[in-house]
Amino acid sequence: MSNAFQNKVALITGATSGIGTQVAHDLAARHARVVVSGRRPAEGEAVVKAIQAAGGTAAFFPADTSKEADVKALVEFTVKTYGRLDFAFNNAGIEGTPGLTTEQQTEANYRQTFDINVLGVLLSMKHEIPALLPHGGAIVNTSSVAGQVGMPGFGVYVASKHAVNGLTRSAALEVAKQGVRVNAVAFGAIQTPMLDRFIGEAKTNNPQRDWLAGVHPVGRIGTVAEASQAVLALLENPFITGTILTVDGGWTTQ
């Protein structure tokens, strides 16, 4: 097991479920000190307790990444608690209202989706980068295959993930010579609570889920463990920046 995360400090937004929770556990298992963040305190504290029960080091700080005061306080808490920031995984995001065609879209859906998926990433990087600059480090943002293709009925979500890719690439170029790396992971379908909201929970007869699994050439939906492996690889590798790593079971290769 790599020692790249030994005694380093990692901040994870959207860490109260799904991929964020898995990344928090995996980093803590590699002896990083982890700050878990999200909008649901009960779930966040449960993640921290599970990490601590496994012998890891973690703390929870509630934050809504669409609010700059929350993000600023989150980064300040991280540095005050553990003395520094080395890694950040900006994973907070929502799916918005699915199934709306362009003429059906609403201003409310646009604002909520972009506030969390785009503004949240922007504000997170805005406050994380100054904390990383003194000693270098890495940021990974959560994107999606929706940031690489069009999807009918999901235009606002698709647009938000295209925006995340643009922010990622631009920030990477701004700080590359200063020892800070910025990447994103474009996930295909990963088994998370968000996916269940999209297509319904896994069960014996779920044609929509079966269809989605079949869209991936590997023939199945990905796991949070597989998603986490990709995130950790980008955090660790010192020669990767400005990359949108596609982890989608071959979906966008077709």
Side-chain angles (χ1 to χ4, degrees):
M1 185 179 292
S2 170
N3 64 357
F5 303 109
Q6 180 88 31
N7 295 324
K8 296 297 177 65
V9 178
L11 165 60
I12 304 162
T13 69
T16 58
S17 68
I19 298 170
T21 295
Q22 184 68 47
V23 170
H25 277 282
D26 288 347
L27 285 170
R30 289 159 176 77
H31 308 293
R33 294 167 288 172
V34 176
V35 173
V36 171
S37 184
R39 296 184 295 175
R40 298 178 295 171
E43 288 84 347
E45 294 290 356
V47 173
V48 167
K49 288 179 181 178
I51 289 172
Q52 293 171 340
T57 301
F60 174 72
F61 190 87
D64 179 342
T65 57
S66 69
K67 296 178 169 37
E68 184 162 13
D70 280 19
V71 177
K72 183 174 184 291
L74 170 59
V75 175
E76 289 174 346
F77 169 84
T78 301
V79 174
K80 182 178 179 180
T81 301
Y82 294 124
R84 57 190 287 146
L85 176 64
D86 299 284
F87 302 109
F89 177 39
N90 297 321
N91 180 61
I94 61 170
E95 68 273 26
T97 303
L100 299 179
T101 62
T102 299
E103 66 270 22
Q104 293 170 334
Q105 286 292 347
T106 66
E107 180 179 353
N109 183 47
Y110 172 86
R111 293 191 180 280
Q112 182 185 35
T113 304
F114 266 68
D115 278 356
I116 295 174
N117 291 3
V118 184
L119 180 60
V121 169
L122 175 62
L123 292 175
S124 294
M125 292 196 295
K126 173 182 177 178
H127 291 280
E128 291 158 357
I129 287 172
L132 293 168
L133 285 174
H135 47 76
I139 294 170
V140 172
N141 298 321
T142 290
S143 187
S144 166
V145 293
Q148 301 181 12
V149 299
M151 293 182 178
F154 296 92
V156 167
Y157 178 77
V158 166
S160 75
K161 292 305 182 179
H162 275 72
V164 168
N165 292 349
L167 287 172
T168 297
R169 293 183 174 114
S170 298
L173 294 173
E174 292 166 359
V175 295
K177 288 184 170 61
Q178 297 166 276
V180 175
R181 297 178 295 104
V182 186
N183 295 290
V185 184
F187 293 114
I190 305 294
Q191 181 50 56
T192 63
M194 180 183 285
L195 184 71
D196 289 341
R197 291 195 297 270
F198 260 122
I199 61 171
E201 296 182 5
K203 56 186 179 181
T204 303
N205 183 23
N206 186 332
Q208 191 173 8
R209 182 175 286 269
D210 293 341
W211 169 84
L212 184 59
V215 168
H216 300 73
V218 298
R220 64 177 177 85
I221 290 167
T223 69
V224 290
E226 291 165 335
S228 179
Q229 288 173 8
V231 174
L232 268 60
L234 288 179
L235 290 175
E236 181 178 1
N237 193 306
F239 200 57
I240 302 177
T241 196
T243 289
I244 313 300
L245 176 62
T246 303
V247 180
D248 68 350
W251 184 342
T252 54
T253 303
Q254 301 172 98

